[in-house]
Amino acid sequence: MNKLRNLLPGHNSRRYLLLLCCLVWSAARAEEIQSPNKQLTLSVVLQDGGVPAYSLTYKGKPVLKPGTLGLELKNTTSLTNGFTQTAATRRSFDESWQPVWGEVKTIRNHYNELAVTLTQAATKRTMLVRFRLYDDGLGFRYEFPRQKELDYFVVKEEKTQFALNGDHKAFWLPGDYDTQEYSTVTSNLSEVRGKMKAAVTPNASQTTFSETGLQTPLMLKGNGLYINIHEAALVDYSAMHLELDDKTYVLESRLTPDAVGNRAELQTPCLSPWRTIIVSDKAADILESKLVLNLNEPSKIKDTSWIKPVKYVGVWWEMITGKSTWSYTNQDNIKLDSIDYSKTKPNGTHGANNTRVKTYIDFAAKHGFDAVLVEGWNTGWEDWFGKHKDYVFDFVTPYPDFDVQELNRYAQSKNVKIMMHHETSGSVRNYERHLDTAFQFMNKYGYNAVKTGYVGDIVPLGHHHYDQWMINHYNYVLTKAADYKVMVNGHEAVRPTGLARTYPNLIGNEAARGTEYESFGGNNADHTTILPFTRLIGGPMDYTPGIFQTKVSAYNPQNNSFVHSTLARQLALYVTLYSPLQMAADLPETYEKHLDAFQFIKDVAVDWDDTKVLEAEPGDYVTIARKAKGKSSWFIGSSCDENGRTSKINLSFLEPGKKYVATIYADGKDAHYEKNPQTYAIRKLNVTSKSKLTQYCAPGGGYAISVIEAGR
Amino acid sequence: MNKLRNLLPGHNSRRYLLLLCCLVWSAARAEEIQSPNKQLTLSVVLQDGGVPAYSLTYKGKPVLKPGTLGLELKNTTSLTNGFTQTAATRRSFDESWQPVWGEVKTIRNHYNELAVTLTQAATKRTMLVRFRLYDDGLGFRYEFPRQKELDYFVVKEEKTQFALNGDHKAFWLPGDYDTQEYSTVTSNLSEVRGKMKAAVTPNASQTTFSETGLQTPLMLKGNGLYINIHEAALVDYSAMHLELDDKTYVLESRLTPDAVGNRAELQTPCLSPWRTIIVSDKAADILESKLVLNLNEPSKIKDTSWIKPVKYVGVWWEMITGKSTWSYTNQDNIKLDSIDYSKTKPNGTHGANNTRVKTYIDFAAKHGFDAVLVEGWNTGWEDWFGKHKDYVFDFVTPYPDFDVQELNRYAQSKNVKIMMHHETSGSVRNYERHLDTAFQFMNKYGYNAVKTGYVGDIVPLGHHHYDQWMINHYNYVLTKAADYKVMVNGHEAVRPTGLARTYPNLIGNEAARGTEYESFGGNNADHTTILPFTRLIGGPMDYTPGIFQTKVSAYNPQNNSFVHSTLARQLALYVTLYSPLQMAADLPETYEKHLDAFQFIKDVAVDWDDTKVLEAEPGDYVTIARKAKGKSSWFIGSSCDENGRTSKINLSFLEPGKKYVATIYADGKDAHYEKNPQTYAIRKLNVTSKSKLTQYCAPGGGYAISVIEAGR
């Protein structure tokens, strides 16, 4: 449009004619599709010079202005311009599928598709952009067919624009090639540059790239719309970040470079991941979107019977707080291939010892948990961190005070599994060298799930946590694990992109600030009202909620951190932060003191037939109801920000005519996440689908409700 | 000494006094040791500023002037100066050991040792330099004890000097982080810079670093001395090159950088490889030196009964010449995980087909060879090269026309082994991922040796063939192979450093221009008179001699290359180029036409009880006699340069009193490596230990002699 204004008479008329021809030609090539419900409209055009561009509207409002598409290639003509459109095919698709685990029983995959074939005359190369327009948003990807003129190529940079039409409010993390463990900053886009420096807090491995670089999933709000930008199906490519032009509010893709600066090394036929834009005028719709999952391939694992959601406890928070240690001794500078632990002096603070692990196993068995995670069970923890050490762990040798055979026997006798922990310290070749042996070890002793960790810089140096080489690694681990029927919960790995649809043994990821940061200075009080709109868009998070002793100093007098949440909200997180893998992260001794509140953690499901987002506003509050898998019970969670609020919900989602007992775990009077976090009140109510509920949430608080059919 | 002149009165007297004190103090700290035979003297001093330096003389002549020692570290104080000597210990050692295979039955390891402990006051760090002075030269290394002030550190550059005392004649290759496959240049050191550009010929992967950068082993001749500089026991460190200062003739170490420019990432306690200087006034002594082997650790493989020298033929030269192909089809741009070879069109030129392989097996069995190497047996060869392809081979899937089970059965029924080939194309993560499966496959079908290949750039990009990460890889493959009782012959891997003493399953390496280059334009006619002084100092080379059809066009009319050697010299190479792994590289059909000459290849041993270097001058000629393992027979080989010469040798090494029949395979009249290479003459003589022999060698020619005890 701006261009047209420049073309008013008075400008050089020959240029006018020439450009007008192009515009007419472009206009002639414009392709449009609408979402199934017709509320979203996608337009694809070739701009001057054969530059492909796309724009998106929602209910007639602009979501994205024309943004250009293309890729810069290394040492050859880029796939950015000089294109003509040689085909455009349309297709509609409507299919429902059932996830192995999930928020709902059945997911509808319903879209209208436009595939535009672009040919670059100068190179005789062909590229295809495939758009899928859903009621809840848009996904598109680049496709590179097998062709003589393009076999192997290197992406120097992907140049995909997301052209916002204003200075939206953004919920953002600094763009970083190695970590997402930053506090979310809430600001207008124009304020990003000014707030970046303070936003980049220290991490064990971090590589920011720009004063206006942002992570995905990026949540935006502007012009009455909620917009989420992310990617789906990240396979054999590097992770995408966004570079903000804070004059024009155009975001452009920035891929993660490898050790020589290549962003992706590809061979045709091949595909980029999907670039996703979820959009609605209701925040709740963003949370209910299944677009990212739908854009992933169906499960490649045929027999998924061994994949089960997991509720677990773990020898973990006591190390995170500093009450006990991962390491068995206080030695430093050890070498795995020469140390003899039987000759070392134990430090007396080792958490993963036989007695303590049995305490957790007993607790898990008593309260019906599936598993006990044990960290620090294996040799090497004295000297694992920040050293770029290659042979840092062997994944199979227990410390002298961890009897792997006896503890697994003991756990199994009580119908509990021990959950394996593979911290790699970022030394990925070492991990891959030990992978078969490590999984065989797990099979031998009866472990069926592993938490992996990638703390610190990637070794060999030069690689980043999110580059193509590492993406390939994470996916390799997933497929290897599947061969051994092992479920994976990847920490410090790349943020998920819905890949759990394809590899449903990926039951968890970290990839954001989890509960551990409550012991490292704390998470913002609104953190858990933002995560569902950002990090969780890609897949479940192993947030590890359930901290009842919110003062860390109670465990470690040297640690003054506190959990920025009321106790009641800790319960709510089991519902608001969806995951098929949920931990009760606090210590058994603490839970034993609050068994009334703990009852909710025992009751809450980890797999669901249905989900309703009852209230939602990013950064302010989230209230979600979920129906337990195969049961009539519902569970409701609500989390609010530092201001507190009164939540009003309608239980109309309950089955009409049925009677239920609601047990409400609420903040106590005068509760406050900082000043009075542990006060809570539990009450019971009889409810039906006609019930409405008003519930106060304290600052940094929330509530949890179990809704059980009466008589059950 | 030069410094002293500057300190004559007239200079600032305060400075004079200060420096004189230092000098006196330094002089007081000078440490000397002599070789067991007293002909070599090593002197170690601390120069001004606490800089360690060493010098070496041979029979009173300077070999190395004072050259400084030390290492630049990354992000911390370097270990280059500020040292005081806090200890100096001396030790003598004399022991004999028997190699699993070798040039001699017993090796004497006899040295005087000086270990100087250096302490850096500013950092409280301690470093030790351990010198071992042999009759045939010097080895020294840096040792970094476990200490509080030095645990993990990164070597930015090693600063070890080799301070030559003149503009010596050098036999050199361009320094390169990825290849040694260059033609040797013979020039004075002062001429290196001018000749560098022409010396850097194209290679599939190459990274030169300087106009005066040189490879090791570097052979030098000057002041009447022969000097060889190399390294021994390259483990967990990067390979060393040399940077020449062509004004001062000081060589300084240049280590191979990894993807971020680090030269070595180390953890105390640790060691550098040994830096070696072999020296003599007789060229033959350089070839007889066992210094590099002696500086390596004894075998880490307990049971070595499965390690056997190998004489082999192979489906190889016919691909190298272009007569046949590694690939089964002429497709390009294939993906291993999707191609279905049963649906492709065979190209009809695939070498490794059942019929052809059986021909080689029959030939091997008929003539008593141990094994048949088969390259191109596995899928992926259509598209393996120069693409930086990650998943390039899987090492277990045969082409449709290669029946792995039947061919191995057939070979074993004839007491022949098929030799495995693992070309990695430099994609090392892919190889490591398949390593166990690949070795299990070998065990299953009865393969006991593998030729590995690393053609092309290392994937992931940024690494070099000789960086620490890759050194670690090669050694990992060796240890893994040993677990499966597999012998390894590594091509395009790092040049050997005597590590075969520690891992005797490393029976071969390439790491120089081998016979294959005779099909790629040719090797210089003097090439094989230099290799024993350079490449072979580190360990055996799989040179693959025995080409009788010296015109490549006889196999492939499009290829005008020719072998720069007479046929007779091809026989000599089985003796002059020591290897426990020797190939008869030409085609069976060709050998069948020359069975009289071929008899030498059939007779010659591949393992030895004794070796005598009868004549030697680098670049001119080499004549060597070796006594077959456990037998009374001797074999003699002589190779000369493009000028031809008359060799005069004395058979006094034969056992006195015994009668022998010598069969002499000599160049024919008018033989010439270019004009008339295939003419040869075979004659028999009765000889004893009193015999002398005069034998003409044609230009680019030589001779081979078998000396068999009469009546045997």
Side-chain angles (χ1 to χ4, degrees), chain A residues 485-538:
Chain A
K485 297 197 189 322
V486 165
M487 299 183 280
V488 177
N489 166 24
H491 281 231
E492 298 91 21
V494 71
R495 74 280 187 286
T497 58
L499 205 63
R501 180 181 178 191
T502 311
Y503 299 104
N505 63 326
L506 177 59
I507 53 165
N509 270 117
E510 184 184 41
R513 283 167 74 100
T515 294
E516 64 181 9
Y517 276 86
E518 302 286 17
S519 178
F520 307 157
N523 285 324
N524 293 336
D526 66 358
H527 188 52
T528 53
T529 69
I530 298 172
L531 282 179
F533 290 94
T534 52
R535 163 64 184 77
L536 269 72
I537 293 296

XYZ file of all heavy atoms in Angstrom, chain A residues 485-538:
410
model
N 12.803 -48.961 24.660
C 11.559 -48.701 25.392
C 11.805 -47.825 26.620
O 11.383 -48.143 27.737
C 10.861 -50.008 25.783
C 10.411 -50.872 24.583
C 9.397 -51.889 25.025
C 9.019 -52.950 23.989
N 8.922 -52.523 22.599
N 12.477 -46.751 26.386
C 12.810 -45.801 27.452
C 12.154 -44.459 27.158
O 12.228 -43.959 26.034
C 14.346 -45.646 27.581
C 14.714 -44.419 28.419
C 14.971 -46.902 28.180
N 11.497 -43.891 28.166
C 10.921 -42.550 28.050
C 11.974 -41.506 28.418
O 12.826 -41.760 29.268
C 9.708 -42.422 28.970
C 8.596 -43.409 28.622
S 7.114 -43.194 29.650
C 7.608 -44.038 31.161
N 11.892 -40.345 27.784
C 12.939 -39.327 27.938
C 12.347 -38.007 28.425
O 11.312 -37.555 27.923
C 13.676 -39.086 26.609
C 14.718 -37.978 26.759
C 14.336 -40.371 26.115
N 13.039 -37.407 29.368
C 12.700 -36.094 29.897
C 13.959 -35.241 29.773
O 14.864 -35.357 30.590
C 12.263 -36.254 31.361
C 12.198 -34.946 32.115
O 12.034 -33.882 31.524
N 12.314 -35.035 33.438
N 14.041 -34.430 28.722
C 15.289 -33.748 28.402
C 15.400 -32.362 29.028
O 14.609 -31.483 28.720
N 16.403 -32.193 29.876
C 16.653 -30.876 30.466
C 17.826 -30.187 29.764
O 18.751 -30.855 29.316
C 16.942 -31.019 31.961
C 15.680 -31.194 32.764
N 15.380 -30.447 33.860
C 14.620 -32.016 32.571
C 14.199 -30.801 34.346
N 13.716 -31.767 33.587
N 17.732 -28.854 29.701
C 18.707 -28.020 28.980
C 18.794 -28.368 27.492
O 19.683 -27.898 26.802
C 20.109 -28.071 29.621
C 20.169 -27.542 31.024
C 19.950 -28.634 32.054
O 20.153 -29.811 31.719
O 19.534 -28.296 33.184
N 17.904 -29.196 26.999
C 17.839 -29.481 25.562
C 17.025 -28.372 24.885
O 16.531 -27.461 25.549
C 17.196 -30.836 25.336
N 16.893 -28.458 23.584
C 16.138 -27.426 22.856
C 14.679 -27.427 23.313
O 14.125 -28.464 23.692
C 16.245 -27.672 21.334
C 15.452 -28.890 20.902
C 15.842 -26.428 20.552
N 14.056 -26.244 23.275
C 12.635 -26.171 23.628
C 11.834 -26.985 22.635
O 12.140 -27.017 21.462
C 12.149 -24.716 23.723
C 11.969 -23.974 22.417
C 13.289 -23.453 21.847
N 13.143 -22.611 20.688
C 12.832 -23.011 19.470
N 12.584 -24.280 19.239
N 12.732 -22.148 18.481
N 10.759 -27.651 23.129
C 10.030 -28.586 22.263
C 9.222 -27.870 21.183
O 8.845 -26.706 21.319
C 9.125 -29.326 23.236
C 8.990 -28.449 24.414
C 10.251 -27.651 24.507
N 8.985 -28.612 20.125
C 8.258 -28.092 18.967
C 7.176 -29.090 18.545
O 6.932 -29.275 17.361
C 9.239 -27.850 17.791
O 9.892 -29.099 17.502
C 10.273 -26.796 18.132
N 6.584 -29.737 19.526
C 5.509 -30.681 19.227
C 5.982 -32.039 18.765
O 5.182 -32.873 18.342
N 7.281 -32.261 18.867
C 7.853 -33.502 18.356
C 7.383 -34.730 19.136
O 7.511 -35.859 18.661
C 9.381 -33.399 18.419
C 10.162 -34.253 17.444
C 9.852 -33.851 16.012
C 11.658 -34.112 17.703
N 6.788 -34.485 20.320
C 6.281 -35.610 21.117
C 5.133 -36.318 20.415
O 4.802 -37.446 20.760
C 5.855 -35.123 22.497
N 4.535 -35.672 19.408
C 3.539 -36.414 18.629
C 4.225 -37.550 17.871
O 3.700 -38.667 17.785
C 2.820 -35.483 17.631
C 1.781 -36.247 16.832
C 1.039 -35.403 15.814
N 0.103 -36.237 15.079
C -0.555 -35.875 13.994
N -0.411 -34.652 13.507
N -1.373 -36.715 13.390
N 5.392 -37.249 17.326
C 6.117 -38.214 16.505
C 6.887 -39.216 17.366
O 6.979 -40.389 17.023
C 7.091 -37.459 15.577
O 6.366 -36.400 14.939
C 7.680 -38.370 14.531
N 7.440 -38.707 18.457
C 8.174 -39.564 19.401
C 7.536 -39.401 20.774
O 8.027 -38.654 21.616
C 9.654 -39.170 19.444
C 10.332 -39.318 18.106
C 10.632 -38.213 17.317
C 10.634 -40.581 17.600
C 11.235 -38.350 16.075
C 11.236 -40.736 16.365
C 11.537 -39.613 15.607
O 12.121 -39.762 14.380
N 6.420 -40.110 21.013
C 5.704 -39.892 22.270
C 6.470 -40.363 23.505
O 5.996 -40.160 24.623
C 4.399 -40.679 22.080
C 4.587 -41.530 20.890
C 5.687 -40.971 20.073
N 7.640 -40.947 23.316
C 8.470 -41.246 24.492
C 9.176 -39.994 25.011
O 9.813 -40.038 26.060
C 9.487 -42.364 24.199
C 10.505 -42.009 23.131
O 10.178 -41.280 22.184
N 11.719 -42.526 23.241
N 9.038 -38.870 24.300
C 9.542 -37.596 24.815
C 8.477 -37.037 25.765
O 7.623 -36.234 25.383
C 9.813 -36.616 23.668
C 10.284 -35.213 24.070
C 11.576 -35.255 24.879
C 10.451 -34.318 22.845
N 8.520 -37.496 26.998
C 7.433 -37.135 27.914
C 7.692 -35.850 28.675
O 6.818 -35.377 29.390
C 7.132 -38.266 28.924
C 8.421 -38.680 29.646
C 6.491 -39.459 28.231
C 8.142 -39.518 30.886
N 8.863 -35.269 28.502
C 9.102 -34.020 29.221
C 10.309 -33.285 28.697
O 11.170 -33.857 28.029
N 10.324 -32.005 28.980
C 11.465 -31.156 28.677
C 11.511 -30.052 29.723
O 10.491 -29.733 30.337
C 11.327 -30.490 27.292
C 11.928 -31.308 26.165
O 11.216 -31.738 25.257
N 13.221 -31.525 26.205
N 12.656 -29.466 29.863
C 12.769 -28.307 30.732
C 12.684 -27.081 29.828
O 11.592 -26.643 29.492
C 14.090 -28.359 31.508
C 14.224 -27.234 32.511
C 15.593 -27.259 33.179
O 16.612 -27.510 32.500
O 15.640 -26.984 34.366
N 13.838 -26.536 29.412
C 13.881 -25.488 28.391
C 13.171 -24.208 28.827
O 12.571 -23.519 28.006
C 13.317 -26.017 27.075
N 13.227 -23.907 30.088
C 12.743 -22.638 30.639
C 13.166 -22.654 32.104
O 13.678 -23.656 32.597
C 11.228 -22.517 30.518
N 12.915 -21.532 32.794
C 13.200 -21.530 34.233
C 12.142 -22.363 34.936
O 10.965 -22.009 34.927
C 13.173 -20.106 34.774
C 14.409 -19.304 34.444
C 14.184 -17.834 34.721
N 14.185 -17.505 36.129
C 15.214 -16.988 36.794
N 16.349 -16.758 36.150
N 15.119 -16.681 38.060
N 12.573 -23.457 35.538
C 11.652 -24.300 36.287
C 11.729 -23.967 37.766
O 12.314 -22.948 38.165
N 11.178 -24.853 38.573
C 11.143 -24.623 40.013
C 12.541 -24.464 40.600
O 12.731 -23.759 41.582
C 10.398 -25.784 40.691
O 9.041 -25.748 40.265
C 10.442 -25.667 42.204
N 13.543 -25.077 39.980
C 14.897 -24.984 40.543
C 15.321 -23.541 40.773
O 16.043 -23.242 41.727
C 15.903 -25.716 39.655
C 16.068 -25.125 38.269
C 17.057 -25.900 37.394
O 17.491 -26.983 37.804
O 17.379 -25.419 36.296
N 14.826 -22.629 39.911
C 15.223 -21.226 40.070
C 14.649 -20.587 41.322
O 15.100 -19.529 41.750
C 14.880 -20.424 38.813
C 15.951 -20.558 37.773
C 15.930 -21.617 36.876
C 17.021 -19.676 37.724
C 16.936 -21.787 35.945
C 18.039 -19.829 36.797
C 17.995 -20.886 35.905
O 19.007 -21.049 34.985
N 13.656 -21.230 41.925
C 13.139 -20.717 43.197
C 14.198 -20.859 44.284
O 14.135 -20.190 45.313
C 11.858 -21.464 43.602
C 10.721 -21.392 42.584
C 10.011 -20.034 42.528
O 10.558 -19.024 43.021
O 8.888 -20.013 41.957
N 15.180 -21.722 44.032
C 16.294 -21.867 44.976
C 17.511 -21.055 44.530
O 18.508 -20.968 45.234
C 16.678 -23.344 45.106
O 17.780 -23.511 45.961
N 17.403 -20.476 43.339
C 18.534 -19.694 42.798
C 18.168 -18.210 42.729
O 18.576 -17.504 41.807
C 18.915 -20.156 41.389
C 19.179 -21.635 41.229
C 19.066 -22.225 39.969
C 19.568 -22.437 42.293
C 19.313 -23.583 39.787
C 19.815 -23.791 42.126
C 19.694 -24.369 40.867
N 17.338 -17.732 43.633
C 16.959 -16.322 43.605
C 15.483 -16.110 43.321
O 14.938 -15.036 43.575
N 14.839 -17.133 42.772
C 13.386 -17.045 42.614
C 12.915 -16.732 41.210
O 13.606 -16.090 40.424
N 11.739 -17.230 40.917
C 11.046 -16.868 39.682
C 10.088 -15.722 39.972
O 9.624 -15.570 41.106
C 10.254 -18.071 39.149
C 11.155 -19.108 38.524
O 12.158 -18.780 37.894
N 10.811 -20.390 38.714
N 9.805 -14.926 38.944
C 8.826 -13.862 39.150
C 7.481 -14.463 39.553
O 7.135 -15.575 39.139
C 8.643 -13.052 37.863
C 9.888 -12.271 37.520
O 10.713 -11.958 38.393
N 10.030 -11.937 36.239
N 6.731 -13.701 40.323
C 5.447 -14.219 40.806
C 4.482 -14.509 39.659
O 3.601 -15.359 39.770
C 4.827 -13.236 41.788
N 4.654 -13.825 38.524
C 3.742 -14.072 37.404
C 4.263 -15.141 36.430
O 3.645 -15.402 35.399
C 3.443 -12.761 36.653
C 4.676 -12.189 35.950
O 5.772 -12.782 36.068
O 4.528 -11.136 35.288
N 5.400 -15.735 36.772
C 6.068 -16.664 35.842
C 5.123 -17.751 35.335
O 5.067 -18.046 34.128
C 7.259 -17.288 36.570
C 8.168 -18.123 35.727
N 8.716 -17.681 34.540
C 8.658 -19.391 35.913
C 9.494 -18.635 34.036
N 9.469 -19.672 34.842
N 4.376 -18.329 36.263
C 3.536 -19.471 35.862
C 2.241 -19.043 35.161
O 1.508 -19.896 34.666
C 3.205 -20.370 37.076
O 2.640 -19.557 38.109
C 4.462 -21.063 37.585
N 1.997 -17.738 35.117
C 0.863 -17.274 34.302
C 1.307 -16.980 32.872
O 0.481 -16.748 31.997
C 0.234 -15.992 34.876
O 1.146 -14.895 34.706
C -0.110 -16.150 36.350
N 2.612 -16.992 32.656
C 3.160 -16.723 31.310
C 3.557 -18.025 30.616
O 3.306 -18.212 29.419
C 4.377 -15.778 31.413
C 3.954 -14.431 32.012
C 5.008 -15.567 30.045
C 5.110 -13.503 32.338
N 4.177 -18.932 31.363
C 4.702 -20.170 30.759
C 3.701 -20.879 29.841
O 4.097 -21.352 28.754
C 5.172 -21.141 31.843
C 6.538 -20.855 32.485
C 6.816 -21.912 33.551
C 7.659 -20.842 31.452
N 2.413 -20.995 30.221
C 1.497 -21.697 29.307
C 1.401 -21.026 27.935
O 1.151 -21.698 26.937
C 0.151 -21.637 30.049
C 0.532 -21.508 31.499
C 1.756 -20.638 31.491
N 1.645 -19.728 27.880
C 1.555 -18.987 26.612
C 2.864 -18.987 25.836
O 2.905 -18.535 24.700
C 1.170 -17.523 26.893
C -0.230 -17.354 27.367
C -0.530 -17.307 28.719
C -1.267 -17.239 26.443
C -1.837 -17.154 29.152
C -2.568 -17.082 26.870
C -2.861 -17.041 28.229
N 3.932 -19.399 26.488
C 5.237 -19.311 25.818
C 5.813 -20.731 25.716
O 5.485 -21.466 24.788
C 6.170 -18.364 26.600
O 6.222 -18.747 27.971
C 5.640 -16.927 26.525
N 6.605 -21.086 26.692
C 7.313 -22.366 26.664
C 6.413 -23.569 26.382
O 6.762 -24.470 25.623
C 8.045 -22.506 27.998
C 8.528 -23.872 28.384
C 9.556 -24.422 27.462
N 9.855 -25.782 27.901
C 9.059 -26.831 27.671
N 7.952 -26.684 26.968
N 9.411 -28.027 28.092
N 5.198 -23.590 26.985
C 4.360 -24.793 26.878
C 3.667 -24.944 25.519
O 3.098 -26.008 25.234
C 3.328 -24.850 28.006
C 3.822 -25.597 29.254
C 4.867 -24.798 30.011
C 2.673 -25.979 30.155
N 3.737 -23.892 24.705
C 3.152 -23.998 23.362
C 3.829 -25.122 22.572
O 3.214 -25.770 21.724
C 3.276 -22.647 22.625
C 2.389 -21.589 23.294
C 2.967 -22.774 21.141
C 0.890 -21.852 23.238
N 5.098 -25.375 22.864
C 5.813 -26.416 22.118
C 5.662 -27.812 22.673
O 5.918 -28.796 21.973
